[in-house]
Amino acid sequence: MLPDKEKGFMLFDRELPQDEAPDERLKHYKEFSTSLPPERITEQAYRCMNCGIPFCHSGCPLGNQIPDFNELMKDEDWEEALHVLHSTNNFPEFTGRVCPAPCETACVLGINEPAVTIEINEREIADRGWREGWVTPQVPERRTGKTVAVVGSGPAGLAAAQQLNRAGHNVVVYERSDEPGGLLMYGIPNFKLDKQTVLRRVGQLKEEGVEFICNAEVGVNVPTSKLDQYDAVLIAIGSTKSRTFEGMSVPGSDLKGIYPAMDFLPQQTRRVLGKTVKVEEILATEKNVIVIGGGDTGSDCVGTSLRQGCKSLVNLELMPKPPVDRVGSNPWPQWSFVFRSSSSHKEGGERRYSVLTKSFEDDGKGNVSALNTVQLAWGEPDETGRRQMQEVPGTEERIPAELVLLAMGFTQPETDTFVKELDLTLDRNRFGQGIQANTLDFMTTKDKYFVAGDARRGQSLVVWAIHEGRESARAIDLYLMGESTLQASDSQGYESLSLEGSPVGT
Amino acid sequence: MSKREISRSGLYEPYYEHDACGIGFMCNIDGKRSHEVIQNGLQILVNLTHRGACGCDPETGDGCGIMLHLPHELFKEDVLEHGFELPEPGDYGVGMIFLPKDRESRESCMQILNKAISEGDQELLGWRDVPRNSEAIGWLARENEPTVRQVFIRRSEDLSIDEFERRLYVIRKSATQMIGNSVISGKSEYYVPSMSARTIVYKGLMLPDAMDKYYLDLADERAMSGMALVHQRYSTNTLPAWSLAQPFRFLAHNGEINTLRGNLNMMDSREHHFESSLFGEDLAKVRPILSPGSSDSANFDNAFELLVRGGRDVDHAMAMMVPEPWSGHESMPDDKKAFYEFHACKMEPWDGPASMAFSDGVRIGAVLDRNGLRPSRYWVTSDNQVIMASEAGVLHHITQDKVVKKGRLEPGRMFLVDMAEGRIVDDAELKEKFANRNPYREWLDTYRIEMPTDLEEGTSTQEETPLMERQQVFGYTREDMEIILTPMAEDGKEPTGSMGNDAALAVLSPRPQLLFNYFKQLFAQVTNPPIDPIREDIVMSLETDIGLEGNLLGESPEDCKQLHLKSPILSNAQLDFIKKLDRDGFRAAVVSTLFEADKGPAEMDRALHAICKEAARCLEDGANMIILSDRGVSKKLAPIPSLMATGAVHQYLVHKHKRSECGLIIETGEAREVMHFALLTGYGAGAVNPYLALETLDDLKHREMFVEKKPGMAHKNYIKALEKGLLKVMSKIGISTQQSYRCAQIFEAVGLNSAIVERCFSGTASRIEGIGLKEVALESLMRHAMAYPEKPARRAELDVGGAYRWRRRGEFHQWNPETVAKLQHSTSQNNQKTYDEFAEEVNNRNRTLAALRGLLEFKEGTPIPLEQVEPASEIVKRFCTGAMSYGSISAESHENLAIAMNRIGGRSNTGEGGEDPRRFERDEKGDLRRSAIKQVASGRFGVTNEYLVNSDELQIKMAQGAKPGEGGQLPGHKVFENIATVRYSTPGVELISPPPHHDIYSIEDLAQLIHDLKNANVHGNVSVKLVSEVGVGTIAAGVSKGKADLVLISGHDGGTGASPLTSIKYAGLPWELGLTETHQVLVENDLRDRIRVQVDGQMKTGRDVAIGALLGADEFGFATAPLIVSGCIMMRKCHLNTCPVGIATQDPELRKKFQGKPEHVVNYFFFVAEECRKIMAELGFRTMTEMVGRADMLKFSPLPEHWKAKHLDFSRVLHVAKAWDNSTLHHSKTQDHGLDGALDHTLIEQAKAALEKKEKVRIKVDIKNVNRTVGTMLSSELTRRHGLGMYTGSLPEDLVWIDCMGIGGNSFGAFIIQGVTLNIVGESNDYVGKGLSGGKIIVSPSPEFSGIPGENIIIGNVALYGATAGQAYINGVAGERFAVRNSGAWTVVEGVGGHGCEYMTGGRVAVLGETGRNFAAGMSGGIAYIYDKSGSFSLKCNMGSVDLKGLHADSVVDLKTMLENHVKYTDSAVAKSILANWTEEQQHFVRVMPRDYARVLKQQKQEQPEVTHAS
């Protein structure tokens, strides 16, 4: 007998599957998360209250119809649940693994109880779909004869490519790396997102008819002019320029042994995939490692370094340690700025907060041997929300390190190749700058050239990238055809029907 | 003051005026004529004055009149002066004529009438000026006063008197026609009150006591009559008209015809098929039969007149128009049922509350509607007279020794005096006569076809188009599956929801909407009561007949050649049955309602024309059943919205006078929820087959979305749920039968242009224009395009919907993640900036998407500095929180709001359900948790004298925004101990709030309740809560006339704890319309300044408040917003008790989660007030008072980019009403409640010793029917002086004993408390012991009255309604609905009318005589003991919630004590004889035991023994 759907939240506690123990999982690079037994997964779905206002799906950039798929899970209609998921999200198996789940911090149950396990539920639906063979190529019934080039095959590019192809356009994806996927492929470590999962999805796209051209960097080994032959071009090249100490007058920041995280992480993935590393190898093995930057990339560096067998690991963060619980000025359903530990942090290493790097020390051979830090004191936020920092005298410290990984964020897309040639305008965003376009038509300052994802908005989450990929695909479809039946995250799409005499058609 | 014309450019619509009143007649049974009869008639009127009303001129009144026999002796002498002589009585007729004042017009009218007389082959004898004294009437009446003359017409010898009467009818009608068609300038003043050889009507705009001062004939001793039929009018309407005073030519009506629109349409349609040998060719001259511009009563009279002049007796005609409820009657003889069934094939009932008094001069009688919703009491005297009136005791001079019989009219029953035969003919005899007129059953069996109900459901017609595509074409959403269809198929119940409707109006939504969504259900409030379709299902019926109608004026067996349906919802097999019919009179033809999609929207227009013509052609080809079908949609073919097709064909056939030739059946994929079926039948469909909904259910079942308990149950349950829903929609407007609901068009359209309305929904109000045919077609094409995209880019899927709850791709909702979060953040952190963002979000979104006020903008004013605007602390005093009962929300949240409102000087509201008296005291922090507003709703839970006294405002809830016209239900498991305490009920026992207030079936009843409450708390204001709908302004005018201090207009979108989704979405209208109409009508009638106007319904921001003020509101109510401030997150599951934030729940665990704080609520209201101040400063208003009603400061700001909203037109909304001289546009005066003359002042004076020293007092007073609400003011004064209450103690029994000699007025002993005893010797009227709060009432007949108490009525209807404690001993029979919703009184009575002990939740009732039908309906608590010697009681008892048992140990003790008391107080002979033989007699008692109550008592008994003694 199934429980009363309306009372599930009063009957069941939040329960997450047990991950493989850190000691064990550190021995390999495979995914270590597990599943709950099937009936207990359903119980978790029962905790969803199917709210009158599901704040969760406003918390989700994609607009995932969370209560709907949870209801279907309660009814054990997994296939339909997968369909609902796919109606807003091309790649639920990715977001089900790597999304920080802003939906869960907006979950209504989260006001006074632990939130619903939305992300795990999503993953379970997606994985089951693949297991059961419900995910099949959806080849468009007819072709429009229009061609679209997508530059970059990260989550934004992939999502756009799939959507555009389904709308019947011929899509060619240019990827400068040897495999499609962008950060999904080489950025995120395999233990968080198994690369077979990515390849599997790319395989679906290929079968649907999307053409991938790898090792093809526009403006480098593909002439920029090539793009001109397409009816539309989507630039989805990400925001890949790492923030470094360059220009910040930190002595020693050019020493050997100091690398941006994105020089370090892809190498490990290549090794896992059995590919060769063609450049100088960066390994943490037997080293004292310092990771600067407490975000997701930093945590990926931590997990990877630990697996490589580092001697010690310290993770530094400029900002203060967040509170354990929400503070009054950060109420539900906002994203909660609270102390979180990623799975990698649970595996080892030490985290320090409010730490400013003052300088790096040379071992005499041009290699880094230590870094000097000072503690910071942070003031209260001013009207604009900004906080002043002050060094605390007498807190200087020296930390030995042979490998320093910089995970301090990304500032902008790489613009010195074709972007420059095309003479696209850039504008400022929260992190630096991006290629200018709005979120209505996603068009750059140049006709038929569109931009989506981090390249436009600055560094962000995978969900945002998928969202922009989908929305820009719709914009391109409208641009090409005058109407679009591609799904939009915020509407059913009536406004983009074109009907004779219709005042609503565009 | 100058004469004013009512402006028609605002929202006022005369069609929606209502009236109600007091009626009565007096006659000599043998018809003997005397002047005394006339005097008595006038006296009846005077003594019913309190049932009428006055507008702004206190001397004008709403009108009254009197019908008499022709006063031959007076005329005979008087006409000599006019130069002619009269023949003998019977040989001439008299027309009473209102003529234009303008001489030229007048003479032209007279000439035309003279011509009509000669064309009718009769001789004009002459004209007489009716002697009148214009000084006797008010100034307003004088301004409209016609010239009144009488025309005398000689009967030609070839005609019998009846034939002559028929000829006079033809003459009158044809003259009226001719004058109407003429160019005479003053023709609108021409009116004929009567024209007959037997009767004459004197009427006009005056107060009763002015009748014989104005019409000198009436005072003339030579004027004599054997009967006098009188009427006193209480109109809700604007300036009343002379012609609308009653009686009409045949009758006087107290009540309201709800089904009027349908009756008008059908009469219009069928009048061209009349054939009558009696009229012959004259028939053409009497058309049109009805006068659509005048009142319901006038039209009823018109139709009645036709039937009578067409050859039927008055009683037969009346039985056709106001039939008894026969379909579910358990004991009605079959031949009588057959009579009604046969006549139902010819004409639908004219349904609604009605007490009709009628006469043709030979017979005089009265009838009551099937619900018995109006009071009618009669006396028969020893000198052969009958006095019948709305109240007993209207002739004060008649002494009790002369009265031989006291009776009342019973529901559906007729009372008739045949003055020719000189006797009273009782109902049974009459009905038997009808039944035996013809072999009706045989005729029915031969000619009528019965729709089989047990057809095997075969596989439905298969369509090639896949299901999903068809669902998309018809706009199915995922919500339809999950929220609407699944629960209906699973449980056979209508789906419920909560928290109101904050989605955009259909015309403001950019998404395509079903045409259904542009309509809102109208509902009954004040002027007529809604019905309880569950507990009073004995009056409800879904049965209909469809097909070719017979000739109304004839009577032949083939008249019933129709298809009889048990319900208008057809299964697939039933539709097939119809399609296959092929015999004379039963031939079906299918007309397709599809059009070619690729031809664009204009094609639909063409197709619509084509199907109308096609339907007419089918009729010509011999079809009698037209089936409009939208089967067969495809990529090529899109459907015309089924409602549009139905409306268009129906109207087309009505205009072609062909509608009565056929049944109209709709086979549609579109209809799926209750509202759809209500609309389709309301606009003309006889039956509907929802094939796609049924197919969808099959699919859902196949996909295991629900479990079917038995094969085929899903369809059955679904249809059952629809039927229940339909009954509910009908009952909301007070209509009992589908037959009458059909075509009655009880809807208002919002956002449709007049061209559509004219073509498909003619007569429906649509006040702000809106989209046209093209946009409707586009909406259909948009859905079609979604199903057939040019290039499909995804798997087909249904729209998410989002109509019932926010969904990201769905409909826009005003409450959405952003607005809720911003509002909570701003108020909890007292952050102005976040509030500004919230307000911006709401105000801006409003502009584009949600409510009508979004389309309004402020005009540019003359700004003043902000400092000059009155402070926010003043403005917040105008704020109230909504009525949410303790029971629907937790104590924590209820008190949170109360504390906040008390802190800022605003007012919180108890809601329905009492209030714990502990909240009347301040707490240790100095906070007061008492709600300033105490609600008085239909359940009257916890409405005690103490509760009323401890209020600042008493709010009578007539309707509720989320579910107007409906009652409520608190299931037993939610009645927790603490809730039961304040509701004076038993924990665990279900509580039902009936749809109507059982003491308000009409406007004068409301005035009575206002009067009662004012007596109960002379220091409090009385407010009346109404819900916006077309006509609410006229009702508000009636409320203002009824002396309410405040009227609240609620929008349709207000929140609710639980309500059927149909009601949340489709009942009621936006407040912008209701408020504006109210303000305009009040101002036009000079009734505005004496009443405060409050508005509520999704109020959120200062801008909302400012717009409300400019449109005419003095005060503002907020409910959802402060709840959200308290933590509500719009879970919309209030009805499930699972609120996860501790607000709408009684679950102790969940209540702990409540996090609201009063200071947050205070912050919110100050934000709103400050925002409002800024607007005031911009506009240049220093105070809110200056701002109220200044609609001239608003402009309509259409949205040119919005493809639907751009077609709206607000000119009528923004019509600026101008105040009368010496008056204001806002509240500025106080009502005169007329309490000065109350008998209680005398009682209080005489009870000084009790009031001051709690000493025993005995008082004796004389009492008449005009002494209303006796004992109430005294009781409240005692409560106040001595601080009495639930926790503070009561007075000793009988401390003040008052002997009342005579006839008590309405509400005798209302809300009296323990310690007060009223002993009346004589009889009393309605509402005896209403809200009895511990007091004792004794009623016994005068010792001079010779009748047997058990056979004579002694108190009126609805006694002990909502009594919470006390005792009543009634030595006689009580009227209908005795002890309805009693929760604590112990009472003995010697007989009761229908619906006794309905909804009772506690107390004890002993009935020592007969009971009426439907006893114990909805009774969930308390016990009734019925002395049932004949063993017939079980037939009359509604066994829905009770069991019948014998007495047992405890009850024997109880009952015996009660009977002993009864003997002690009333000296009852019956009780004495029962007691004398107690051992044997006790066997004859039946114990009526509610099941719920029995279960709870059993539980309790295990804990503690039951109280077994009356106290």
Side-chain angles (χ1 to χ4, degrees), chain B residues 781-820:
Chain B
L781 289 173
M782 285 164 91
R783 289 187 285 268
H784 187 265
M786 282 306 239
Y788 298 103
E790 274 301 307
K791 35 181 206 74
R794 62 190 201 221
R795 196 181 104 179
E797 64 181 28
L798 294 181
D799 190 324
V800 294
Y804 299 98
R805 49 191 190 191
W806 183 87
R807 281 295 186 267
R808 184 136 159 198
R809 287 172 181 163
E811 290 288 342
F812 174 78
H813 284 256
Q814 292 171 298
W815 290 116
N816 53 51
E818 256 160 295
T819 51
V820 170

Side-chain angles (χ1 to χ4, degrees), chain B residues 947-1153:
Chain B
Y947 174 85
L948 297 174
V949 165
N950 283 286
S951 70
D952 301 335
E953 181 179 318
L954 289 161
Q955 181 179 73
I956 303 172
K957 177 176 89 171
M958 293 311 306
Q960 173 182 339
K963 47 172 175 177
E966 283 179 74
Q969 208 164 323
L970 195 64
H973 68 265
K974 282 197 183 176
V975 185
F976 290 79
E977 182 83 42
N978 41 1
I979 289 167
T981 308
V982 301
R983 294 194 174 205
Y984 285 77
S985 68
T986 314
V989 170
E990 176 183 66
L991 300 175
I992 300 168
S993 303
H997 287 251
H998 277 294
D999 52 356
I1000 308 175
Y1001 297 148
S1002 180
I1003 187 82
E1004 77 270 14
D1005 294 350
L1006 173 67
Q1008 177 65 45
L1009 180 60
I1010 293 169
H1011 186 73
D1012 297 341
L1013 295 178
K1014 201 73 194 180
N1015 274 280
N1017 183 358
V1018 291
H1019 306 297
N1021 288 314
V1022 178
S1023 85
V1024 176
K1025 176 175 178 175
L1026 304 175
V1027 170
S1028 174
E1029 65 175 325
V1030 63
V1032 74
T1034 52
I1035 292 171
V1039 168
S1040 181
K1041 287 179 180 181
K1043 314 287 188 198
D1045 300 293
L1046 194 156
V1047 63
L1048 164 57
I1049 306 295
S1050 273
H1052 65 119
D1053 42 8
T1056 171
S1059 168
L1061 289 173
T1062 310
S1063 309
I1064 294 180
K1065 291 306 270 189
Y1066 301 114
L1069 283 123
W1071 61 252
E1072 290 90 332
L1073 294 176
L1075 169 65
T1076 308
E1077 185 193 328
T1078 297
H1079 180 73
Q1080 288 173 0
V1081 174
L1082 288 174
V1083 172
E1084 296 281 7
N1085 288 280
D1086 199 16
L1087 294 165
R1088 177 66 183 88
D1089 56 359
R1090 48 160 117 166
I1091 192 162
R1092 301 208 313 269
V1093 175
Q1094 193 184 109
V1095 66
D1096 73 15
Q1098 293 294 350
M1099 288 273 166
K1100 293 179 192 66
T1101 64
R1103 183 180 187 274
D1104 292 347
V1105 169
I1107 287 177
L1110 293 172
L1111 291 178
D1114 299 290
E1115 297 181 355
F1116 312 89
F1118 301 74
T1120 308
L1123 269 194
I1124 286 177
V1125 169
S1126 308
C1128 166
I1129 32 72
M1130 298 291 283
M1131 178 57 59
R1132 293 185 182 273
K1133 305 210 169 161
C1134 317
H1135 54 298
L1136 300 174
N1137 203 27
T1138 57
C1139 178
V1141 290
I1143 292 178
T1145 180
Q1146 303 300 330
D1147 183 315
E1149 281 309 306
L1150 294 173
R1151 276 170 58 192
K1152 283 181 197 156
K1153 299 181 183 223

